Amino acid sequence: MKASALFTDLYELTMAQAYTVERMNEPAVFELAFRKLPRNRNYVVAAGLGDVLEFLASLHFSDEDIDYLRSTFGFSAPFLARLKGLRFTGDVFALPEGTLVFPHEPVLQVRAPILEAQLVETLVLNQIHFQSLAAAKAARIVEAAKGRSVVDFGSRRAHGVDAALKVARATYLAGGTGTSNVLAGRLYGIPVFGTMAHSYIQAHDCEEDAFRAFAGLYPETNLLVDTYDTLEGVRRVIALSRRLGGAFHVQAIRLDSGDLGALAVEARRLLNEAGLARVTIFASSSLDEYEVQKLIASGAPIDAFGVGTKLAVMEGASHLDMAYKLVEYAGKPRLKLSSSKVLYPGRKQVFRQSRNGIFSGDIIGRFDETLPGKPLLLPVMRAGVPLTRVNLNDSRRRLRLELSRLTPVLRELDSAQTPYPVTFSDDLQEDLDRLTGHLARCA
């Protein structure tokens, strides 16, 4: 992803100039985390790390960027000179993409001179926040489908080009079969699916003419049968199979309107009676995890789902209260005590515990603590150089394994009565209490 260094909020630059004037350039640690889960969510999926690493590795201000900052905001010449030569030189620790993440746990940790660490906040938060939510939404739909294929159909109603591409990638990460978006297929190596829209049928005088022409050009196609009358469309597919005989190789029919469950039952009956049991049924039309779950529970004989708008806009949980917060500067832990937004001080590590192969709880501790469980934050960048390349297939496998180790109740669509346990270590609590007391004395 190629993003300009100007993809930042103005206050990052005003603070950066203030740091420069005050000669504040000690190492700072910022952590990215969220405080609570959205309604009806039991987990979030860490995603978007690759885009962050690519941005940090290529961070620079062009001559045009510097000219814009000078002419528009009147930043000083010494500060602009510093920006002109700026490169990211810091270290990054992160949860591997595809890891399940819960409230208060750092998804990503940046350690760099404070000016560098401050300037990258907007992009880091933008990419991790969006992609993590998209992957969580897609994972819920894939879980609801119970092994049936799920294809991303949402690009046309996504909130912009970048969002469409990232939703397609997130869907595949979450176990989806592929996407309808050709550019996403090229960029990420995702399987691409698609055959026809209603306009193709409408452009022909007769539906059967459209079916015959399309199947002649694409023998193993999926025929859309609901342009006029769904079951009559199915009968026309059957008639085409009789006309073509051994040359009929249509793989599926697609239902895109009406009572999908009832229509699938009747379509399946008609196809089976015609000897077309091998022809599968693909369903779309305003689907989300709840509609998919309902169709599966009803026994609807649907083999695959195309999920569009509600996936692309992450309906039901479009945002997290995710924040990028300073936890250490110049070797000293820092905290925040705003009402309902207490920030534990210092650099942290997350330790994940398991019992009989099932995740049993996480402990958030000091970065240098040794606690029971597996440390989750791993080094991914050192001195501005990525240590790893995020691989989508590895992330996909990781998430599948992570979900298999989550208790069944936490994989349900509704919020669990007992959330996944996340606690803070005693040492971290002591740090908070000590620093809180220090601030009280300063007052």
XYZ file of all heavy atoms in Angstrom, residues 278-372:
732
model
N -25.857 -32.782 -9.327
C -24.505 -32.200 -9.242
C -24.513 -30.681 -9.361
O -23.541 -30.017 -9.016
C -23.614 -32.771 -10.342
C -24.044 -32.383 -11.740
C -23.026 -32.726 -12.810
N -23.455 -32.283 -14.123
C -23.395 -31.028 -14.561
N -22.941 -30.083 -13.765
N -23.796 -30.714 -15.777
N -25.614 -30.090 -9.865
C -25.712 -28.637 -9.991
C -25.972 -28.050 -8.606
O -26.956 -28.404 -7.944
C -26.825 -28.228 -10.966
C -26.994 -26.704 -10.988
C -26.507 -28.738 -12.376
N -25.096 -27.187 -8.158
C -25.205 -26.641 -6.810
C -26.033 -25.354 -6.798
O -26.342 -24.778 -7.848
C -23.809 -26.367 -6.217
O -23.129 -25.422 -7.045
C -22.996 -27.646 -6.141
N -26.370 -24.915 -5.588
C -27.190 -23.712 -5.421
C -26.379 -22.658 -4.672
O -25.870 -22.902 -3.571
C -28.486 -24.027 -4.656
C -29.338 -25.014 -5.464
C -29.267 -22.748 -4.368
C -30.595 -25.471 -4.745
N -26.267 -21.505 -5.289
C -25.538 -20.356 -4.740
C -26.572 -19.289 -4.404
O -27.427 -18.973 -5.230
C -24.554 -19.845 -5.796
C -23.584 -18.804 -5.314
C -22.267 -19.141 -5.055
C -23.982 -17.487 -5.122
C -21.356 -18.186 -4.619
C -23.087 -16.519 -4.692
C -21.768 -16.873 -4.431
N -26.509 -18.745 -3.186
C -27.491 -17.754 -2.770
C -26.824 -16.433 -2.408
O -25.736 -16.404 -1.829
C -28.278 -18.273 -1.566
N -27.503 -15.336 -2.748
C -27.072 -13.998 -2.358
C -28.330 -13.185 -2.085
O -29.433 -13.709 -2.150
C -26.201 -13.364 -3.449
O -26.861 -13.397 -4.698
N -28.182 -11.913 -1.738
C -29.291 -10.994 -1.482
C -29.368 -10.611 -0.006
O -29.968 -11.317 0.804
C -30.650 -11.570 -1.916
O -31.694 -10.623 -1.702
N -28.723 -9.503 0.340
C -28.805 -8.901 1.682
C -28.468 -9.888 2.798
O -29.112 -9.899 3.847
C -30.207 -8.318 1.913
O -30.492 -7.319 0.962
N -27.453 -10.683 2.593
C -27.090 -11.688 3.595
C -26.098 -11.134 4.608
O -25.282 -10.275 4.310
C -26.480 -12.911 2.905
C -27.401 -13.719 1.995
C -26.624 -14.841 1.306
C -28.576 -14.285 2.773
N -26.189 -11.648 5.823
C -25.182 -11.430 6.852
C -25.089 -12.716 7.664
O -25.687 -13.743 7.285
C -25.513 -10.223 7.730
C -26.824 -10.378 8.501
O -27.433 -11.476 8.458
O -27.249 -9.414 9.160
N -24.359 -12.696 8.778
C -24.178 -13.921 9.541
C -25.488 -14.453 10.109
O -25.692 -15.678 10.206
C -23.156 -13.713 10.665
C -23.510 -12.657 11.691
C -22.918 -11.296 11.375
O -23.036 -10.865 10.214
O -22.351 -10.661 12.294
N -26.413 -13.552 10.453
C -27.676 -13.995 11.035
C -28.574 -14.655 9.989
O -29.213 -15.677 10.263
C -28.391 -12.802 11.692
C -27.594 -12.200 12.822
C -26.908 -11.000 12.653
C -27.509 -12.839 14.055
C -26.164 -10.442 13.690
C -26.762 -12.286 15.091
C -26.093 -11.093 14.896
O -25.341 -10.553 15.925
N -28.635 -14.076 8.798
C -29.430 -14.672 7.723
C -28.831 -16.007 7.286
O -29.565 -16.969 7.032
C -29.520 -13.707 6.537
C -30.388 -12.499 6.786
C -31.825 -12.866 7.106
O -32.362 -13.783 6.452
O -32.409 -12.258 8.023
N -27.523 -16.056 7.192
C -26.871 -17.320 6.818
C -27.152 -18.383 7.873
O -27.497 -19.534 7.551
C -25.350 -17.110 6.640
C -24.630 -18.449 6.512
C -25.076 -16.238 5.417
N -27.030 -18.013 9.149
C -27.304 -18.963 10.234
C -28.743 -19.472 10.155
O -29.010 -20.679 10.317
C -27.049 -18.301 11.578
C -27.239 -19.218 12.774
C -27.071 -18.485 14.085
O -27.846 -17.586 14.403
N -26.046 -18.840 14.855
N -29.675 -18.550 9.893
C -31.084 -18.928 9.813
C -31.329 -19.901 8.653
O -32.077 -20.890 8.797
C -31.921 -17.657 9.624
C -33.414 -17.839 9.814
C -34.167 -16.539 9.529
C -33.652 -15.395 10.388
N -34.395 -14.125 10.115
N -30.712 -19.632 7.515
C -30.886 -20.522 6.363
C -30.302 -21.904 6.633
O -30.920 -22.928 6.303
C -30.235 -19.899 5.129
C -30.976 -18.698 4.526
C -30.084 -17.933 3.555
C -32.258 -19.163 3.821
N -29.135 -21.950 7.247
C -28.521 -23.248 7.560
C -29.384 -24.009 8.556
O -29.632 -25.212 8.411
C -27.099 -23.044 8.121
C -26.179 -22.407 7.080
C -26.517 -24.372 8.614
C -25.940 -23.222 5.849
N -29.862 -23.310 9.585
C -30.684 -23.961 10.612
C -31.991 -24.503 10.039
O -32.519 -25.512 10.516
C -30.972 -22.975 11.741
N -32.524 -23.842 8.997
C -33.780 -24.296 8.386
C -33.585 -25.522 7.492
O -34.570 -26.114 7.043
C -34.382 -23.164 7.559
O -33.659 -22.971 6.340
N -32.338 -25.881 7.234
C -32.063 -27.017 6.358
C -32.075 -26.663 4.885
O -32.095 -27.552 4.028
N -32.053 -25.368 4.574
C -32.058 -24.948 3.163
C -30.869 -25.563 2.430
O -29.734 -25.448 2.885
C -32.002 -23.428 3.072
N -31.098 -26.202 1.295
C -30.020 -26.878 0.557
C -29.180 -25.904 -0.269
O -29.114 -25.998 -1.502
C -30.775 -27.875 -0.321
C -32.075 -27.189 -0.603
C -32.415 -26.421 0.649
N -28.551 -24.973 0.415
C -27.712 -23.969 -0.240
C -26.258 -24.357 -0.041
O -25.839 -24.675 1.071
C -27.989 -22.566 0.351
C -29.439 -22.155 0.043
C -27.012 -21.536 -0.207
C -29.884 -20.890 0.749
N -25.496 -24.331 -1.119
C -24.109 -24.799 -1.082
C -23.095 -23.682 -0.912
O -21.960 -23.926 -0.495
C -23.801 -25.557 -2.376
C -24.760 -26.708 -2.595
O -24.640 -27.718 -1.881
O -25.655 -26.578 -3.463
N -23.476 -22.447 -1.237
C -22.528 -21.333 -1.165
C -23.293 -20.029 -1.036
O -24.443 -19.920 -1.468
C -21.637 -21.306 -2.412
N -22.621 -19.046 -0.422
C -23.246 -17.753 -0.174
C -22.383 -16.623 -0.729
O -21.164 -16.614 -0.526
C -23.428 -17.527 1.326
C -24.331 -18.531 1.998
C -23.801 -19.657 2.604
C -25.706 -18.340 2.014
C -24.635 -20.587 3.225
C -26.543 -19.259 2.629
C -26.004 -20.380 3.236
N -23.022 -15.661 -1.390
C -22.372 -14.425 -1.768
C -22.837 -13.348 -0.808
O -24.035 -13.077 -0.699
N -21.915 -12.755 -0.063
C -22.269 -11.784 0.973
C -21.686 -10.432 0.582
O -20.477 -10.312 0.359
C -21.752 -12.227 2.351
C -22.255 -11.282 3.431
C -22.216 -13.655 2.659
N -22.543 -9.426 0.510
C -22.117 -8.138 -0.020
C -22.133 -7.002 0.964
O -21.259 -6.863 1.822
N -23.176 -6.165 0.882
C -23.203 -4.889 1.590
C -22.951 -5.020 3.081
O -22.149 -4.280 3.660
C -24.568 -4.205 1.366
O -24.780 -4.056 -0.041
C -24.604 -2.846 2.034
N -23.639 -5.933 3.744
C -23.545 -6.016 5.205
C -22.167 -6.462 5.671
O -21.769 -6.152 6.799
C -24.638 -6.924 5.744
C -26.038 -6.342 5.516
C -27.133 -7.235 6.051
C -28.506 -6.635 5.773
N -29.601 -7.477 6.302
N -21.457 -7.158 4.823
C -20.059 -7.483 5.107
C -19.182 -6.268 4.825
O -18.337 -5.888 5.655
C -19.610 -8.667 4.239
C -18.109 -8.958 4.184
C -17.556 -9.277 5.570
C -17.836 -10.111 3.216
N -19.384 -5.637 3.684
C -18.506 -4.541 3.262
C -18.548 -3.355 4.218
O -17.531 -2.682 4.420
C -18.880 -4.083 1.852
N -19.727 -3.087 4.814
C -19.831 -1.955 5.741
C -19.765 -2.416 7.189
O -19.941 -1.628 8.113
C -21.123 -1.141 5.494
C -21.166 -0.650 4.058
C -22.363 -1.949 5.839
N -19.524 -3.710 7.409
C -19.386 -4.300 8.747
C -20.585 -3.964 9.620
O -20.459 -3.500 10.757
C -18.069 -3.857 9.387
C -16.863 -4.284 8.589
S -15.307 -3.655 9.218
C -15.461 -1.917 8.897
N -21.772 -4.194 9.061
C -23.003 -3.844 9.765
C -23.057 -4.524 11.135
O -22.742 -5.695 11.289
C -24.221 -4.260 8.941
C -25.536 -3.825 9.540
C -26.706 -4.099 8.626
O -27.008 -3.248 7.771
O -27.328 -5.171 8.772
N -23.474 -3.756 12.119
C -23.585 -4.274 13.473
C -22.397 -3.938 14.345
O -22.508 -3.929 15.575
N -21.251 -3.687 13.734
C -20.048 -3.312 14.499
C -19.090 -2.626 13.542
O -18.100 -3.201 13.096
C -19.400 -4.531 15.129
N -19.386 -1.379 13.227
C -18.601 -0.655 12.223
C -17.381 0.036 12.804
O -16.579 0.597 12.060
C -19.483 0.384 11.521
O -19.971 1.326 12.476
N -17.254 0.032 14.146
C -16.092 0.694 14.725
C -15.779 0.112 16.107
O -16.630 -0.492 16.759
C -16.337 2.199 14.855
C -17.409 2.545 15.854
N -18.744 2.469 15.559
C -17.333 2.948 17.153
C -19.450 2.806 16.623
N -18.621 3.098 17.605
N -14.533 0.309 16.517
C -14.051 -0.026 17.851
C -13.555 1.254 18.515
O -13.141 2.186 17.834
C -12.858 -0.985 17.760
C -13.085 -2.445 17.445
C -11.750 -3.098 17.108
C -13.734 -3.164 18.605
N -13.545 1.270 19.838
C -12.917 2.416 20.500
C -11.415 2.143 20.632
O -10.836 2.184 21.704
C -13.569 2.695 21.858
C -13.406 1.553 22.847
O -13.113 0.428 22.408
O -13.559 1.795 24.063
N -10.807 1.877 19.492
C -9.372 1.578 19.441
C -8.574 2.871 19.502
O -8.964 3.879 18.912
C -9.047 0.801 18.162
C -7.609 0.332 18.050
S -7.329 -0.670 16.536
C -7.882 -2.287 17.093
N -7.475 2.848 20.219
C -6.669 4.054 20.390
C -5.187 3.692 20.420
O -4.801 2.576 20.785
C -7.065 4.788 21.665
N -4.370 4.673 20.054
C -2.909 4.540 19.986
C -2.370 5.457 21.076
O -2.428 6.676 20.954
C -2.483 4.989 18.594
C -1.017 4.985 18.250
C -0.384 3.834 17.783
C -0.273 6.168 18.287
C 0.950 3.852 17.384
C 1.053 6.196 17.893
C 1.659 5.033 17.447
O 2.980 5.061 17.039
N -1.887 4.872 22.166
C -1.599 5.661 23.356
C -0.143 5.526 23.791
O 0.448 4.434 23.739
C -2.508 5.223 24.499
C -3.985 5.544 24.273
C -4.219 7.047 24.133
C -5.681 7.392 23.963
N -5.884 8.837 23.768
N 0.389 6.656 24.279
C 1.741 6.687 24.836
C 1.757 5.983 26.189
O 0.982 6.327 27.085
C 2.185 8.140 25.015
C 3.567 8.344 25.643
C 4.665 7.965 24.650
C 3.736 9.800 26.092
N 2.640 4.994 26.338
C 2.739 4.269 27.614
C 4.130 4.386 28.239
O 4.328 3.994 29.391
C 2.375 2.770 27.440
C 0.919 2.619 27.003
C 3.316 2.076 26.460
N 5.081 4.935 27.463
C 6.437 5.095 28.009
C 7.142 6.196 27.223
O 7.005 6.296 25.997
C 7.212 3.778 27.891
C 8.619 3.820 28.471
C 9.331 2.477 28.299
O 8.857 1.476 28.879
O 10.332 2.434 27.564
N 7.907 7.056 27.953
C 8.745 8.053 27.286
C 10.023 8.237 28.093
O 9.984 8.345 29.322
C 8.039 9.402 27.135
C 8.932 10.450 26.513
C 9.379 10.300 25.202
C 9.370 11.547 27.237
C 10.235 11.229 24.624
C 10.228 12.488 26.670
C 10.664 12.314 25.362
O 11.520 13.226 24.788
N 11.146 8.262 27.371
C 12.464 8.454 27.991
C 12.702 7.426 29.097
O 13.279 7.740 30.150
C 12.590 9.873 28.535
N 12.230 6.208 28.871
C 12.450 5.132 29.827
C 11.518 5.134 31.012
O 11.625 4.269 31.900
N 10.588 6.086 31.068
C 9.669 6.173 32.202
C 8.249 5.804 31.762
O 7.770 6.285 30.729
C 9.659 7.592 32.767
C 10.990 8.053 33.343
C 10.878 9.480 33.848
C 12.209 9.979 34.410
N 12.113 11.387 34.900
N 7.559 4.975 32.550
C 6.175 4.626 32.200
C 5.263 5.834 32.306
O 5.456 6.695 33.164
C 5.803 3.556 33.229
C 6.758 3.730 34.351
C 8.021 4.279 33.768
N 4.288 5.900 31.405
C 3.316 6.993 31.389
C 1.916 6.388 31.470
O 1.674 5.279 30.984
C 3.447 7.819 30.111
C 4.873 8.282 29.823
C 5.347 9.368 30.773
N 6.785 9.572 30.687
C 7.396 10.710 31.013
N 6.691 11.730 31.454
N 8.713 10.807 30.914
N 0.986 7.115 32.060
C -0.375 6.615 32.196
C -1.366 7.703 31.850
O -1.009 8.862 31.633
C -0.634 6.089 33.603
C -0.952 7.104 34.737
C -1.475 6.370 35.947
C 0.266 7.924 35.085
N -2.649 7.305 31.815
C -3.741 8.234 31.522
C -4.875 7.863 32.455
O -5.204 6.678 32.618
C -4.146 8.075 30.053
C -5.271 8.975 29.575
C -5.376 8.853 28.047
C -6.543 9.650 27.481
N -7.800 8.910 27.582
N -5.489 8.866 33.089
C -6.512 8.599 34.103
C -7.857 9.222 33.756
O -8.685 9.431 34.630
C -6.038 9.124 35.467
C -4.784 8.447 36.037
C -4.364 9.123 37.329
C -5.033 6.960 36.277
N -8.083 9.498 32.483
C -9.365 10.072 32.084
C -10.505 9.157 32.519
O -10.354 7.929 32.557
C -9.412 10.256 30.568
O -8.342 11.068 30.133
N -11.653 9.759 32.798
C -12.805 8.994 33.265
C -13.158 7.866 32.298
O -13.332 8.085 31.104
C -14.013 9.921 33.416
O -15.150 9.201 33.801
N -13.223 6.639 32.826
C -13.561 5.406 32.080
C -12.540 5.054 30.999
O -12.787 4.177 30.183
C -14.953 5.500 31.442
O -14.959 6.338 30.302
N -11.396 5.748 30.982
C -10.376 5.477 29.969
C -9.000 5.340 30.608
O -7.999 5.855 30.107
C -10.354 6.588 28.917
C -11.623 6.678 28.074
C -11.495 7.752 27.008
C -12.731 7.814 26.135
N -12.603 8.851 25.071
N -8.932 4.642 31.735
C -7.663 4.465 32.427
C -6.700 3.667 31.558
O -7.064 2.641 30.978
C -7.877 3.754 33.776
C -6.547 3.405 34.424
C -8.707 4.637 34.702
N -5.474 4.155 31.453
C -4.434 3.501 30.654
C -3.344 3.000 31.590
O -2.721 3.774 32.317
C -3.842 4.506 29.662
C -2.681 4.015 28.799
C -3.174 2.995 27.786
C -2.013 5.200 28.089
N -3.124 1.690 31.594
C -2.061 1.131 32.421
C -0.711 1.561 31.863
O -0.498 1.575 30.651
C -2.157 -0.392 32.460
C -3.181 -0.896 33.445
C -4.548 -0.795 33.178
C -2.790 -1.463 34.651
C -5.498 -1.253 34.077
C -3.733 -1.933 35.568
C -5.071 -1.820 35.270
O -6.011 -2.262 36.178
N 0.229 1.920 32.750
C 1.501 2.484 32.293
C 2.485 1.421 31.837
O 2.428 0.255 32.245
C 2.016 3.188 33.552
C 1.474 2.363 34.682
C 0.118 1.904 34.220
N 3.414 1.841 30.994
C 4.543 1.001 30.623
C 4.282 0.053 29.468
O 3.139 -0.230 29.089
N 5.376 -0.401 28.936
C 5.351 -1.358 27.823
C 4.830 -2.704 28.319
O 5.184 -3.160 29.408
C 6.771 -1.493 27.292
C 6.902 -2.182 25.970
C 8.357 -2.166 25.538
N 8.551 -2.869 24.287
C 9.729 -3.189 23.787
N 10.827 -2.831 24.450
N 9.820 -3.821 22.636
N 4.025 -3.364 27.509
C 3.326 -4.564 27.976
C 3.565 -5.777 27.072
O 4.020 -5.658 25.938
C 1.821 -4.285 28.079
C 1.497 -3.118 29.007
C 0.040 -2.739 28.945
C -0.188 -1.390 29.596
N 0.388 -0.281 28.789
N 3.205 -6.923 27.622
C 3.184 -8.176 26.879
C 1.882 -8.885 27.228
O 1.329 -8.695 28.323
C 4.390 -9.053 27.253
C 4.475 -10.407 26.567
C 4.531 -10.314 25.053
O 3.484 -10.212 24.408
N 5.735 -10.359 24.489
N 1.377 -9.680 26.296
C 0.153 -10.460 26.513
C 0.535 -11.932 26.586
O 1.215 -12.446 25.684
C -0.869 -10.234 25.380
C -2.146 -11.028 25.645
C -1.176 -8.757 25.208
N 0.087 -12.599 27.632
C 0.374 -14.021 27.826
C -0.933 -14.798 27.711
O -1.876 -14.566 28.470
C 1.015 -14.260 29.198
C 2.329 -13.540 29.369
C 2.369 -12.225 29.828
C 3.524 -14.187 29.067
C 3.577 -11.561 29.981
C 4.735 -13.522 29.214
C 4.763 -12.213 29.673
N -0.987 -15.711 26.744
C -2.217 -16.499 26.501
C -2.075 -17.881 27.107
O -1.138 -18.627 26.780
C -2.522 -16.567 25.012
C -3.796 -17.345 24.675
C -4.403 -16.862 23.366
N -4.904 -15.483 23.512
C -5.263 -14.708 22.484
N -5.170 -15.170 21.247
N -5.702 -13.486 22.691
N -3.029 -18.222 27.946
C -3.009 -19.513 28.630
C -3.988 -20.479 27.974
O -5.008 -20.067 27.417
C -3.352 -19.318 30.106
C -2.376 -18.390 30.825
C -2.787 -18.104 32.254
O -3.967 -17.973 32.552
N -1.808 -18.013 33.146
N -3.664 -21.757 28.049
C -4.504 -22.800 27.467
C -4.686 -23.937 28.464
O -3.832 -24.168 29.322
C -3.876 -23.355 26.181
O -3.686 -22.341 25.224
N -5.806 -24.641 28.316
C -6.060 -25.836 29.107
C -6.651 -26.886 28.190
O -7.681 -26.666 27.572
C -7.008 -25.523 30.270
C -7.197 -26.663 31.257
C -8.124 -26.271 32.401
N -7.602 -25.138 33.158
C -8.187 -23.962 33.222
N -9.314 -23.742 32.555
N -7.645 -22.971 33.929
N -5.969 -28.013 28.063
C -6.413 -29.101 27.177
C -6.622 -28.606 25.746
O -7.572 -29.001 25.063
C -7.702 -29.737 27.708
C -7.534 -30.336 29.082
O -6.497 -30.937 29.384
N -8.542 -30.188 29.936
N -5.725 -27.725 25.306
C -5.767 -27.241 23.928
C -6.749 -26.123 23.675
O -6.861 -25.646 22.540
N -7.477 -25.674 24.701
C -8.470 -24.607 24.560
C -7.982 -23.373 25.314
O -7.498 -23.466 26.443
C -9.842 -25.049 25.118
C -10.338 -26.298 24.374
C -10.865 -23.924 24.996
C -10.562 -26.111 22.881
N -8.103 -22.204 24.684
C -7.698 -20.966 25.344
C -8.513 -20.779 26.624
O -9.749 -20.865 26.604
C -7.906 -19.765 24.436
C -7.056 -19.777 23.190
C -7.549 -19.264 21.995
C -5.761 -20.277 23.216
C -6.769 -19.260 20.844
C -4.972 -20.273 22.071
C -5.478 -19.771 20.887
N -7.816 -20.487 27.718
C -8.504 -20.347 29.005
C -8.440 -18.928 29.569
O -9.157 -18.611 30.517
C -7.911 -21.324 30.030
O -6.520 -21.107 30.191
N -7.604 -18.068 29.029
C -7.539 -16.701 29.515
C -6.208 -16.054 29.204
O -5.218 -16.737 28.942
N -6.183 -14.724 29.229
C -4.969 -13.955 28.949
C -4.604 -13.107 30.162
O -5.476 -12.639 30.902
C -5.177 -13.025 27.750
C -5.393 -13.775 26.444
O -5.239 -15.012 26.434
O -5.714 -13.114 25.442
N -3.298 -12.897 30.330
C -2.793 -11.969 31.337
C -1.982 -10.898 30.610
O -1.106 -11.214 29.801
C -1.887 -12.673 32.370
C -2.630 -13.828 33.059
C -1.406 -11.671 33.417
C -1.745 -14.616 34.009
N -2.278 -9.641 30.905
C -1.490 -8.527 30.387
C -0.505 -8.134 31.480
O -0.909 -7.809 32.600
C -2.374 -7.337 30.009
C -3.439 -7.763 28.996
C -1.525 -6.191 29.445
C -4.475 -6.691 28.711
N 0.772 -8.205 31.176
C 1.793 -7.897 32.160
C 2.820 -6.924 31.626
O 2.735 -6.460 30.484
N 3.799 -6.601 32.475
C 4.934 -5.822 32.005
C 5.625 -6.559 30.871
O 5.635 -7.789 30.811
C 5.931 -5.623 33.133
C 5.512 -4.719 34.264
C 6.587 -4.762 35.325
N 6.330 -3.889 36.463
C 6.987 -3.975 37.603
N 7.939 -4.907 37.752
N 6.711 -3.151 38.603
N 6.277 -5.802 29.996
C 6.948 -6.424 28.863
C 8.044 -7.380 29.313
O 8.292 -8.402 28.660
C 7.526 -5.349 27.933
C 8.005 -5.894 26.621
C 7.104 -6.186 25.610
C 9.351 -6.126 26.389
C 7.529 -6.704 24.396
C 9.796 -6.643 25.179
C 8.874 -6.926 24.176
N 8.695 -7.066 30.428
C 9.816 -7.889 30.882
C 9.404 -8.938 31.917
O 10.253 -9.618 32.485
C 10.932 -7.008 31.451
C 10.458 -6.144 32.623
O 9.250 -6.208 32.964
O 11.295 -5.405 33.191
N 8.111 -9.085 32.160
C 7.659 -10.099 33.125
C 7.714 -11.493 32.516
O 7.607 -11.670 31.296
C 6.216 -9.811 33.552
C 6.071 -8.813 34.659
C 4.664 -8.829 35.243
O 4.441 -9.606 36.194
O 3.807 -8.067 34.763
N 7.837 -12.478 33.393
C 7.680 -13.878 32.999
C 6.429 -14.398 33.683
O 6.383 -14.525 34.909
C 8.902 -14.717 33.423
O 10.075 -14.178 32.795
C 8.725 -16.166 33.005
N 5.398 -14.662 32.891
C 4.110 -15.097 33.426
C 3.665 -16.375 32.724
O 4.144 -16.696 31.628
C 3.067 -13.997 33.197
C 3.281 -12.696 33.979
C 2.354 -11.606 33.459
C 3.049 -12.922 35.468
N 2.757 -17.116 33.326
C 2.262 -18.336 32.676
C 1.598 -18.007 31.342
O 0.897 -17.003 31.221
C 1.234 -18.877 33.683
C 1.554 -18.217 34.983
C 2.134 -16.889 34.644
